[in-house]
């Protein structure tokens, strides 16, 4: 047996006869819990539905602008019609042929093109209406639109509940490829809320209604002056219609576009 150089009995010297190292035992770490945040539901729980946008000033009414010379045909038919049905009757057509073509090829729903819907705005200070009031420059508009005076138009207001089951809401030009479209009642409500929180979207947005809208659903007719008010009131009264007719000049002055 080997001897210890330090004079200890064999096996007693820790330097010459170090004890064997203990076997290493693998330590198993507990798996880390996955990180969670407000967008990631904890394991075993059901993902919460994303909250819908809310706004305190949701639009209550939508607005359709037309030339006063188109009013007799509208009264005679008893309803507002999309361009595909009213173009032959309308005396003053604002959109150019290229605009009609673009709207005819853009789908509002699976069954209706944009042109097959009545076009409304979410505000009487809509971007497109300001462009018409400011001279209707560019290929979007017709010669009729360029010749027309703002005081010769009327603004027809329809309460949203009257058309809510069919209402389609966009965040811009309905014929543009980049425009977002809410074509179901729930989606339309979300689009209305988003527009209410952004004035630029409110002014640019369109509200579309496929098919026709009874003239009896028109709650308000706004005009530019007293003379026009008296003329429109007589025409509506002769047809047995009771929509309120109000003079509101600010709606007939172009809104500056940023």
């Amino acid at each position: 047996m080997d001897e210890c150089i330090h004079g200890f009995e064999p096996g007693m010297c820790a330097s010459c006869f170090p004890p064997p190292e203990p076997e290493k035992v693998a330590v198993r770490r507990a798996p880390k819990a996955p990180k969670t945040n407000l967008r990631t539901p904890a394991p075993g729980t059901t993902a919460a539905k994303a909250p819908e946008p809310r706004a305190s000033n949701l639009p209550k009414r939508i607005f359709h602008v037309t030339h006063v010379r188109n009013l007799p045909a509208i009264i005679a038919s008893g309803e507002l019609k999309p361009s595909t049905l009213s173009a032959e009757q309308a005396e003053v057509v604002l959109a150019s042929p290229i605009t009609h073509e673009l709207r005819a090829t853009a789908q509002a729903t699976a069954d209706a093109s944009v042109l097959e819907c009545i076009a409304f705005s979410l505000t009487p200070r809509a971007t497109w209406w300001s462009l018409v009031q400011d001279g209707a420059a560019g290929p979007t508009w017709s010669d009729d639109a360029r010749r027309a005076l703002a005081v010769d138009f009327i603004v027809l207001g329809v309460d949203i509940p009257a058309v809510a089951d069919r209402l389609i809401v966009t965040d811009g030009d309905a014929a543009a490829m980049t425009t977002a479209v809410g074509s179901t009642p729930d989606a339309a409500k979300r689009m209305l809320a988003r527009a209410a929180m952004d004035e630029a979207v409110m002014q640019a947005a369109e509200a579309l209604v496929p098919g026709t809208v009874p003239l009896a659903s028109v709650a308000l007719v706004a005009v530019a002056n007293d003379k026009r008010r008296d003329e429109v009131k007589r025409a509506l009264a002769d047809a047995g219609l009771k929509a309120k007719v109000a003079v509101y000049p600010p709606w007939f002055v172009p809104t500056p576009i940023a």
Side-chain angles (χ1 to χ4, degrees):
M1 180 177 291
D2 295 336
E3 295 183 356
C4 174
I5 61 174
H6 300 99
F8 291 101
E9 292 293 329
M12 299 298 292
C13 179
S15 298
C16 296
F17 301 96
E21 294 184 3
E23 294 183 6
K24 293 183 179 180
V25 179
V27 178
R28 298 183 63 184
R29 297 178 181 273
K32 291 184 178 180
K35 293 182 178 180
T36 60
N37 55 37
L38 294 178
R39 297 185 180 184
T40 306
T45 63
T46 303
K49 184 180 178 181
E52 294 186 1
R54 296 179 181 273
S56 60
N57 58 333
L58 283 176
K60 302 295 191 298
R61 186 172 284 171
I62 53 178
F63 303 90
H64 178 78
V65 179
T66 191
H67 197 279
V68 70
R69 281 163 47 195
N70 294 335
L71 186 59
I74 294 173
I75 291 176
S77 67
E79 56 190 6
L80 298 175
K81 297 180 179 180
S83 296
T84 50
L85 299 178
S86 64
E88 293 181 359
Q89 295 177 322
E91 283 198 36
V92 179
V93 177
L94 300 183
S96 67
I98 190 171
T99 298
H100 278 235
E101 183 178 347
L102 290 171
R103 293 176 76 86
T105 56
Q107 290 299 119
T109 69
D111 302 318
S113 71
V114 172
L115 198 63
E116 293 172 315
C117 300
I118 306 168
F120 292 84
S121 301
L122 299 185
T123 169
R125 312 304 298 270
T127 302
W128 77 266
W129 175 220
S130 289
L131 293 174
V132 172
Q133 292 170 309
D134 208 25
T140 300
W141 307 108
S142 67
D143 289 338
D144 282 350
R146 281 184 276 273
R147 286 191 293 263
L149 300 176
V151 295
D152 292 333
F153 288 89
I154 58 176
V155 180
L156 308 176
V158 174
D159 292 338
I160 287 178
V163 294
D165 59 333
R166 296 182 288 152
L167 187 63
I168 300 164
V169 181
T170 77
D171 63 358
D173 182 351
M177 293 182 65
T178 57
T179 297
V181 179
S183 57
T184 66
D186 286 343
K189 287 179 183 177
R190 289 193 291 270
M191 296 293 284
L192 288 173
R194 290 170 185 156
M197 294 185 286
D198 188 328
E199 184 63 23
V201 175
M202 179 77 84
Q203 293 176 354
E206 287 196 59
L208 306 173
V209 179
T212 63
V213 172
L215 199 51
S217 297
V218 174
L220 170 71
V221 181
V223 297
N225 53 49
D226 292 343
K227 179 182 177 181
R228 186 71 68 208
R229 178 194 58 198
D230 296 341
E231 174 188 348
V232 171
K233 284 185 73 172
R234 283 194 300 269
L236 293 177
D238 289 345
L241 298 168
K242 299 180 180 179
K244 178 181 178 182
V245 183
V247 177
Y248 201 71
W251 289 2
F252 299 86
V253 178
T255 302
I257 300 173

